[in-house]
Amino acid sequence: MTSLIRSWVDSANAPDSPFPLNNLPCGVFSVDNSAAHCGMAIGDFIVDLTMLEAKGLLDLGAARLFDVPVWNKVMEAGPALWAALRAKVTALLAEGAASRAAVEPYLVPRAGATLHMPFRVAEYTDFYAGRHHAFNVGTMFRGPENALPPNWLHIPIGYNGRASSVVVSGTEVRRPWGQVKGPDHAVPSFQPSRRFDIELEMGAVVGTPSEGPVTVAEADDMIFGYVLLNDWSARDIQAWEYQPLGPFQAKATATTISPWIVMKAAIEPFRTSTPAREVPQLPYLHEPRPMLYDIALEVALQPEGGAETIIVRTNYAEMYYSAPQQLAHHTTSGCAMNTGDLLGSGTISGPTKESRGSLLELSWGGKEPIAIAGGTRTFIEDNDTLILRGQCRGDGYIIGFGDCTGKVIPALADPYAR
Ligand code: CA
């Protein structure tokens, strides 16, 4: 296991800093009303790469990469440039670097910065690849005997979501209206969702594009990095609409991602294997090396004006399918993948009650309210804030992802009453 790479930015060397020099996650920020720039988090600061490039301090031998307030140009440039960028920025910020005096004017305190979407999302695909989650949900709907659909152990099941509803951490999420099943055979009703929920997921961000089918190894090389992802879900709308084509409006309100893309190189020391295969998989899904990561995850729920309660503790290593497997499967039809495609992992639940990654599972379909500071919850109430957090724990340092936060604000008055 690698150890802390020391920086002349003192706050980056603290053992509990989420952003040591080992991390260098990619974000987009602005201060006051200035233009948004690309930057990397380092300790309590953001190093302004747009300015470093403009001042000639970050020459990577390529056309300008940071003259637009998104990371897509870098993502498309591919693994060799990603490595060169990390090497260059590491050299500029390393303890004892002669470049300190030149670079220091372009450090911006994180505390005063506004974070924006770090990349332009091309398309968003969401998977259903956590075995514990699929088993829990299947048990609730079909009983434990038929919990897993017959295809589940063979196919990373997914559906095409919406890029237009992916938002950055901090964006408020308005409780949606939707069509909900009526009692027995009565007419359905149109109402605000009463079972609004989170899904704790990781998002894989596609860097380099593909045209035809790719292998799992090639898919891994295409992935630029990872973000935390909250796939907000209206369970009452979902239950009525999802057969036979899967979720639609239940998942279309918003998907929140964390503001920093953690590059694969930062989490390379934390690679781990998917769990043992329960049945043999087709050769195109075989993983040539470990493709998951040991990322400790948690979810906090904070009511308006109240204290937060940690309601979930789990780990990305619980997934049955890895993101490279999902991406490879996504291309089997010949489906082209583009720079900026976002792949949701599926809800990351573990084997214990505390490790269930959605309120649907935590409250077992709303039947078993969970305790929080000052009350209980089955599903999200108005003005609750949900906070996803993730970190890899290294030897004397951690790799943080930055909070993935969203506050649920009350539904509008009937949007069709006019
Ligand atoms: Ca999902």
Side-chain angles (χ1 to χ4, degrees):
M1 182 150 300
T2 49
S3 55
L4 175 74
I5 305 170
R6 296 189 66 84
S7 171
W8 52 258
V9 181
D10 287 335
S11 56
N13 300 326
D16 60 347
S17 171
F19 305 122
L21 191 46
N22 306 58
N23 193 345
L24 294 178
C26 311
V28 173
F29 71 99
S30 62
V31 180
D32 300 325
N33 291 315
S34 67
H37 286 181
C38 293
M40 286 173 150
I42 179 74
D44 294 339
F45 296 87
I46 301 166
V47 58
D48 186 336
L49 300 188
T50 300
M51 286 303 294
L52 290 188
E53 185 183 59
K55 297 291 180 184
L57 294 164
L58 189 65
D59 181 10
L60 295 162
R64 286 195 63 180
L65 297 167
F66 298 112
D67 56 344
V68 288
V70 284
W71 278 78
N72 295 59
K73 279 190 181 183
V74 174
M75 289 155 53
E76 186 172 9
L81 185 125
W82 306 341
L85 171 65
R86 289 184 69 82
K88 180 73 180 173
V89 176
T90 301
L92 291 174
L93 296 175
E95 194 170 60
S99 47
R100 175 172 180 168
V103 171
E104 204 156 13
Y106 305 112
L107 290 189
V108 176
R110 279 198 292 117
T114 301
L115 298 174
H116 305 277
M117 277 292 293
F119 68 107
R120 190 171 49 250
V121 180
E123 297 191 63
Y124 166 50
T125 307
D126 193 34
F127 287 87
Y128 186 59
R131 194 196 191 297
H132 300 287
H133 173 70
F135 184 81
N136 287 340
V137 173
T139 299
M140 272 182 256
F141 292 148
R142 293 181 294 275
E145 304 302 316
N146 301 305
L148 284 187
N151 56 4
W152 199 92
L153 292 169
H154 301 278
I155 294 181
I157 295 175
Y159 68 95
N160 289 307
R162 292 286 305 175
S164 65
S165 56
V166 180
V167 297
V168 73
S169 175
T171 307
E172 292 183 333
V173 175
R174 188 173 294 283
R175 182 181 297 276
W177 285 69
Q179 190 178 134
V180 174
K181 183 177 186 294
D184 299 326
H185 298 287
V187 173
S189 58
F190 185 71
Q191 64 184 51
S193 172
R194 291 175 187 158
R195 289 160 73 94
F196 200 55
D197 197 359
I198 55 161
E199 288 191 338
L200 167 58
E201 304 191 24
M202 296 295 300
V205 180
V206 173
T208 48
S210 64
E211 289 192 347
V214 303
T215 65
V216 173
E218 289 165 342
D220 188 37
D221 288 343
M222 289 166 61
I223 294 173
F224 177 67
Y226 289 84
V227 292
L228 302 172
L229 185 150
N230 183 356
D231 181 30
W232 302 95
S233 300
R235 302 299 180 192
D236 39 4
I237 298 170
Q238 185 178 358
W240 176 232
E241 75 176 3
Y242 86 104
Q243 287 183 320
L245 287 183
F248 185 45
Q249 291 304 287
K251 305 277 192 173
T253 299
T255 301
T256 302
I257 62 167
S258 52
W260 300 104
I261 309 171
V262 174
M263 293 171 75
K264 266 189 324 202
I267 52 175
E268 191 62 34
F270 308 97
R271 266 189 194 266
T272 188
S273 299
T274 44
R277 306 293 84 177
E278 295 177 33
V279 297
Q281 288 179 338
L282 291 172
Y284 79 89
L285 286 172
H286 285 176
E287 296 173 296
R289 61 192 182 112
M291 290 287 174
L292 279 182
Y293 299 92
D294 176 0
I295 305 173
L297 300 166
E298 67 177 34
V299 179
L301 189 158
Q302 183 174 29
E304 180 89 325
E308 71 167 51
T309 301
I310 305 295
I311 58 171
V312 184
R313 284 191 179 86
T314 185
N315 195 298
Y316 183 50
E318 297 286 358
M319 299 309 291
Y320 191 79
Y321 293 98
S322 63
Q325 282 184 309
Q326 293 169 333
L327 180 52
H329 179 70
H330 208 318
T331 67
T332 50
S333 57
C335 176
M337 301 303 293
N338 291 311
T339 300
D341 279 345
L342 174 66
L343 273 54
S345 61
T347 307
I348 306 166
S349 295
T352 63
K353 187 164 183 181
E354 189 199 42
S355 60
R356 296 172 182 168
S358 66
L359 283 160
L360 176 71
E361 295 163 86
L362 288 165
S363 72
W364 208 251
K367 291 183 195 138
E368 301 171 15
I370 58 164
I372 61 163
T376 61
R377 284 291 182 280
T378 49
F379 293 95
I380 300 169
E381 297 190 2
D382 284 345
N383 302 308
D384 283 350
T385 298
L386 280 299
I387 308 152
L388 280 53
R389 301 191 183 101
Q391 58 175 233
C392 301
R393 294 171 185 142
D395 179 14
Y397 74 100
I398 59 177
I399 299 292
F401 282 76
D403 289 357
C404 177
T405 299
K407 178 179 176 180
V408 174
I409 57 175
L412 295 167
D414 185 342
Y416 293 102
R418 58 186 177 217

